[in-house]
Amino acid sequence: MDKLWYLSQISIFEEMSHDEMREIDQLDTIHHFNRITKNTLVQTPESTREGLYFVKEGKLRLYKLNDSGKQFTLGILTRGNIFGELNSFSFGTRRVYIETMESTLLCTMSEPQFERLMINRPQLALKFLKALSDRLKEREDQLEQLALHGLRKCVLHLLSTLSAKFGVIQDGYALIDLPLSHQEIANMLGASREAVSGVMSELAKEGVVKTSRLSVQLAVPILEENIP
């Protein structure tokens, strides 16, 4: 695998020139993992990984469990996303479960390597801050929807967010490129599967969504209405 090509696919490196990418590659700051199979726990709350991790391929789900064992999905990471913990920098992924949703490739950077890279390339520090800010805003938006609105509005906001990130437009609908069951939607919202299924049935009757096994499509006008 061409390491320089993989570096260029990671979002924080996307605007750098080929010569700059080669210089970073020669710093040996990035280490690669073998492919991780689907449904593998990359991290548990008791085994938090130190260092920064970059998703080269695949998708991962971040979630927590409540006292009764119910899952609450915090986020989904895909190619170009970052997670991890350093003493000087955190993406808020300590004490959470991280599980692969499909076959995934990761690479990692230790804290000394990260600090050295930031010294050599201070413009990357701004990209890290933006990535962290985007992650926090996404969580705040989700919490706001849960606190202020009913389940229907929360479901529409979640599907719009997922469509904006993972949607493929087809015949007036955004097909969400994720295996998305009613249970998974419920996990993301901290709601019951039965309540989510009721809302999804209503939305399907209204033509707002189309569903099939592990597949959800959202009408484009609804997507545009819910995502600025």
Side-chain angles (χ1 to χ4, degrees), residues 128-221:
F128 272 99
L129 290 173
K130 184 181 185 305
L132 179 58
S133 175
D134 290 345
R135 182 82 52 81
L136 292 173
K137 184 179 185 305
E138 187 174 297
R139 290 192 184 179
E140 288 173 359
D141 287 346
Q142 184 174 345
L143 290 172
E144 179 181 350
Q145 293 298 318
L146 291 171
L148 300 179
H149 303 288
L151 183 58
R152 177 188 170 97
K153 180 67 174 178
C154 289
V155 169
L156 285 173
H157 182 268
L158 173 64
L159 294 180
S160 297
T161 300
L162 295 176
S163 295
K165 291 180 67 176
F166 306 112
V168 178
I169 304 300
Q170 299 178 349
D171 300 324
Y173 284 80
L175 172 63
I176 300 172
D177 185 23
L178 291 172
L180 205 58
S181 66
H182 290 183
Q183 183 62 63
E184 184 58 41
I185 294 171
N187 291 344
M188 293 183 185
L189 296 173
S192 70
R193 183 191 61 78
E194 292 78 10
V196 167
S197 293
V199 170
M200 292 295 290
S201 178
E202 292 177 2
L203 294 175
K205 289 178 182 177
E206 297 168 12
V208 174
V209 300
K210 293 181 179 180
T211 62
S212 57
R213 186 176 180 276
L214 300 181
S215 173
V216 176
Q217 300 179 60
L218 179 68
V220 170

Side-chain angles (χ1 to χ4, degrees), residues 1-8 18 22 25 32 56:
M1 294 183 294
D2 186 339
K3 185 174 177 182
L4 284 175
W5 183 85
Y6 272 122
L7 283 174
S8 70
H18 183 77
R22 184 171 298 280
D25 186 46
H32 295 267
K56 296 191 296 184

Side-chain angles (χ1 to χ4, degrees), residues 63-192:
Y63 65 94
K64 287 189 174 184
L65 299 179
N66 64 15
D67 293 339
S68 61
K70 187 175 183 179
Q71 295 183 4
F72 183 81
T73 299
L74 301 172
I76 295 173
L77 305 180
T78 188
R79 187 176 71 176
N81 288 157
I82 310 165
F83 67 94
E85 303 293 326
L86 304 173
N87 290 327
S88 58
F89 206 94
S90 170
F91 277 92
T93 52
R94 195 181 302 277
R95 295 185 295 278
V96 304
Y97 292 90
I98 301 177
E99 183 177 15
T100 56
M101 301 179 69
E102 60 187 45
S103 179
T104 299
L105 283 169
L106 298 177
C107 57
T108 186
M109 181 186 302
S110 69
E111 183 155 18
Q113 292 167 331
F114 172 76
E115 291 176 349
R116 181 173 56 173
L117 182 58
M118 293 302 98
I119 291 171
N120 282 275
R121 295 292 173 188
Q123 71 271 30
L124 287 181
L126 296 176
K127 289 194 174 186
F128 272 99
L129 290 173
K130 184 181 185 305
L132 179 58
S133 175
D134 290 345
R135 182 82 52 81
L136 292 173
K137 184 179 185 305
E138 187 174 297
R139 290 192 184 179
E140 288 173 359
D141 287 346
Q142 184 174 345
L143 290 172
E144 179 181 350
Q145 293 298 318
L146 291 171
L148 300 179
H149 303 288
L151 183 58
R152 177 188 170 97
K153 180 67 174 178
C154 289
V155 169
L156 285 173
H157 182 268
L158 173 64
L159 294 180
S160 297
T161 300
L162 295 176
S163 295
K165 291 180 67 176
F166 306 112
V168 178
I169 304 300
Q170 299 178 349
D171 300 324
Y173 284 80
L175 172 63
I176 300 172
D177 185 23
L178 291 172
L180 205 58
S181 66
H182 290 183
Q183 183 62 63
E184 184 58 41
I185 294 171
N187 291 344
M188 293 183 185
L189 296 173
S192 70

